[in-house]
Amino acid sequence: DTEVTQTPKHLVMGMTNKKSLKCEQHMGHRAMYWYKQKAKKPPELMFVYSYEKLSINESVPSRFSPECPNSSLLNLHLHALQPEDSALYLCASSQVSGIDRQYFGPGTRLTVL
Amino acid sequence: QKEVEQDPGPLSVPEGAIVSLNCTYSNSAFQYFMWYRQYSRKGPELLMYTYSSGNKEDGRFTAQVDKSSKYISLFIRDSQPSDSATYLCASSDGSNYKLTFGKGTLLTVNP
């Protein structure tokens, strides 16, 4: 089973709201990722967690705050977003090594009003 | 020059055709090559994963890597309307968790 689940599927929020995106995998993977994907563009890496520690932060604005509570869960906390942050937010996971296959979840479609 | 170049298409073929999707890359350190399929408004699905040069076959799909020319290909035999999607190539040097994606090619298979 190579399933990564994400909730919610859709989210609409105002610029003053605080919301969270959730991701879960039960494949025993120790690396988890957040990507942002705009329409007709490839995914852009935002954050990587390895063994529940933040390994890569691709200079993402602080209004995006990741959290990895345990090896199966990954959250992305959102606060004071801008309309240009509207996108598909994808979670992925892999075994710990950088050479391992990354498996993506279905994504959360975020709209910021 | 982007590290991975991919013609965004769109590419339209009749059902049953052989489809050839291609990428080129510039980073000689890339050793791991992937093809993802992404349906509209869904997450990317890993189709093929290859290491270094050579061919890999899985059902109707064949991935080919030619490191000498830095060329990556995905062939789809007997294409079906259900193959209609965006196909993303991706590459990695294996030293970290970063994948470098091409722009994606939008494929439509017409019944």
Side-chain angles (χ1 to χ4, degrees):
Chain A
D1 183 13
T2 56
E3 189 177 30
V4 176
T5 58
Q6 290 187 243
T7 55
K9 290 184 180 178
H10 303 275
L11 179 63
V12 179
M13 60 186 292
M15 289 191 285
T16 59
N17 292 158
K18 286 185 181 180
K19 296 287 185 183
S20 297
L21 310 184
K22 297 185 183 301
C23 173
E24 189 167 6
Q25 58 88 12
H26 294 288
M27 295 178 278
H29 290 171
R30 299 310 297 270
M32 296 185 76
Y33 312 71
W34 281 115
Y35 286 85
K36 174 182 177 179
Q37 187 177 26
K38 301 284 270 186
K40 301 187 190 298
K41 300 285 187 184
E44 296 176 30
L45 183 64
M46 300 174 72
F47 303 103
V48 180
Y49 273 81
S50 174
Y51 287 102
E52 296 95 70
K53 288 185 170 32
L54 187 62
S55 175
I56 295 176
N57 177 341
E58 291 287 84
S59 302
V60 178
S62 60
R63 57 186 184 268
F64 295 92
S65 175
E67 178 196 19
C68 190
N70 61 53
S71 60
S72 300
L73 292 173
L74 186 66
N75 299 322
L76 186 63
H77 303 296
L78 314 173
H79 174 54
L81 294 193
Q82 304 297 310
E84 59 265 29
D85 296 321
S86 297
L88 182 66
Y89 287 84
L90 295 161
C91 175
S93 72
S94 73
Q95 296 291 351
V96 68
S97 168
I99 68 173
D100 290 308
R101 296 154 173 80
Q102 291 187 25
Y103 297 95
F104 285 83
T108 293
R109 185 156 299 279
L110 174 67
T111 303
V112 182
L113 300 175
Chain B
Q1 180 191 11
K2 280 184 65 66
E3 285 193 298
V4 177
E5 300 277 0
Q6 182 176 9
D7 185 343
L11 179 62
S12 182
V13 302
E15 183 175 354
I18 296 175
V19 176
S20 173
L21 302 168
N22 307 293
C23 293
T24 59
Y25 64 95
S26 58
N27 188 340
S28 298
F30 286 159
Q31 298 187 70
Y32 303 91
F33 305 94
M34 289 129 270
W35 284 95
Y36 286 88
R37 176 175 65 194
Q38 186 171 24
Y39 292 112
S40 181
R41 306 175 80 85
K42 301 290 186 185
E45 173 193 6
L46 181 63
L47 276 181
M48 303 292 281
Y49 179 94
T50 53
Y51 167 69
S52 193
S53 280
N55 292 1
K56 184 172 183 179
E57 189 173 320
D58 185 0
R60 295 185 297 110
F61 298 91
T62 300
Q64 202 170 73
V65 176
D66 182 345
K67 291 194 74 180
S68 63
S69 59
K70 297 188 175 67
Y71 204 76
I72 314 162
S73 300
L74 178 71
F75 299 97
I76 307 174
R77 290 183 299 280
D78 187 24
S79 56
Q80 303 295 309
S82 58
D83 296 326
S84 298
T86 295
Y87 289 80
L88 293 153
C89 62
S91 302
S92 167
D93 65 12
S95 66
N96 55 41
Y97 299 98
K98 296 187 182 183
L99 298 181
T100 301
F101 285 93
K103 288 185 177 180
T105 299
L106 178 60
L107 170 68
T108 301
V109 180
N110 300 299

